[in-house]
Amino acid sequence: MMDERVKEFEQILHGVLRRAGIWKTNLYYDDYLQDLRIAVLQQLRAEPDLKAEQNPALFKWLHWRLRDLQRGYQRREARECAMTLAIEEAQVAGDEFGRSELYLTLAQLRTRLADDCQMVNLISDIMAFPDDALAQRAPRIGVSRATAYRMQGVLRGYLLNGNVE
């Protein structure tokens, strides 16, 4: 019943995404759309008589919700970029100690995340083929490039936050 009601709001959701300049080619398009659907569902639970058309207040609220999501993704990407740079600098400098420390950390993380098969596969692939691009890595672990990119982001978050033990 509620899922059917959420479908009524698809036009406004896509309008919010267009207004923010987010197109289907955006890496996070599906994530943003899903988050907005969840927001509408929560709003419907709080306000069952919510209208899908002629509702500028809902549009504005969803737009600000999307902006919050974008800021979160930008912060996450900034942390990921910092981690990528640190790894690349260690590789360029030939820092064997730093590289071995990274491999030990990845091995600990792989053990800690043993329940998550996809993350274990990603970590193992990074350890086996550290210089390969995402386009080469994604098919080997059996996920799309977008999913592999998000998984690498999660992995960078673990490494940056030091939550390995």
Side-chain angles (χ1 to χ4, degrees), residues 9-159:
F9 293 86
E10 285 297 309
Q11 186 174 359
I12 196 169
L13 296 177
H14 289 285
V16 168
L17 290 167
R18 277 193 305 274
R19 170 80 187 272
I22 298 172
W23 310 104
K24 289 187 178 188
T25 55
N26 186 300
L27 184 63
Y28 298 113
Y29 180 85
D30 292 327
D31 293 336
Y32 289 141
L33 184 59
Q34 185 64 26
D35 286 333
L36 289 177
R37 284 179 182 143
I38 291 169
V40 166
L41 186 61
Q42 291 170 343
Q43 199 66 17
L44 279 170
R45 286 188 180 142
E47 192 178 334
D49 58 337
L50 189 65
K51 296 178 191 173
E53 282 122 24
Q54 304 296 324
N55 196 340
L58 177 65
F59 185 92
K60 196 181 294 186
W61 180 78
L62 288 169
H63 186 258
W64 284 111
R65 178 79 181 237
L66 177 62
R67 290 297 185 198
D68 288 340
L69 291 168
Q70 285 180 303
R71 282 191 286 274
Y73 279 96
Q74 287 171 348
R75 282 191 301 270
R76 192 173 314 128
E77 284 183 2
R79 287 192 310 262
E80 291 170 8
C81 288
M83 184 61 191
T84 302
L85 286 174
I87 291 171
E88 288 173 358
E89 287 173 3
Q91 289 174 345
V92 168
D95 183 5
E96 289 302 319
F97 177 75
R99 188 177 291 177
S100 63
E101 186 71 24
L102 177 63
Y103 279 93
L104 286 173
T105 304
L106 286 172
Q108 289 173 343
L109 192 56
R110 185 174 52 185
T111 302
R112 181 172 159 244
L113 298 174
D115 295 340
D116 189 348
C117 293
Q118 285 186 335
M119 285 300 286
V120 168
N121 290 343
L122 174 65
I123 293 168
S124 298
D125 195 79
I126 289 171
M127 291 172 75
F129 306 101
D131 298 327
D132 281 2
L134 189 66
Q136 296 166 319
R137 191 175 314 286
R140 275 198 307 261
I141 62 174
V143 297
S144 70
R145 278 191 292 174
T147 301
Y149 182 80
R150 284 191 291 272
M151 290 170 58
Q152 279 188 190
V154 170
L155 178 60
R156 285 184 192 109
Y158 281 128
L159 293 172

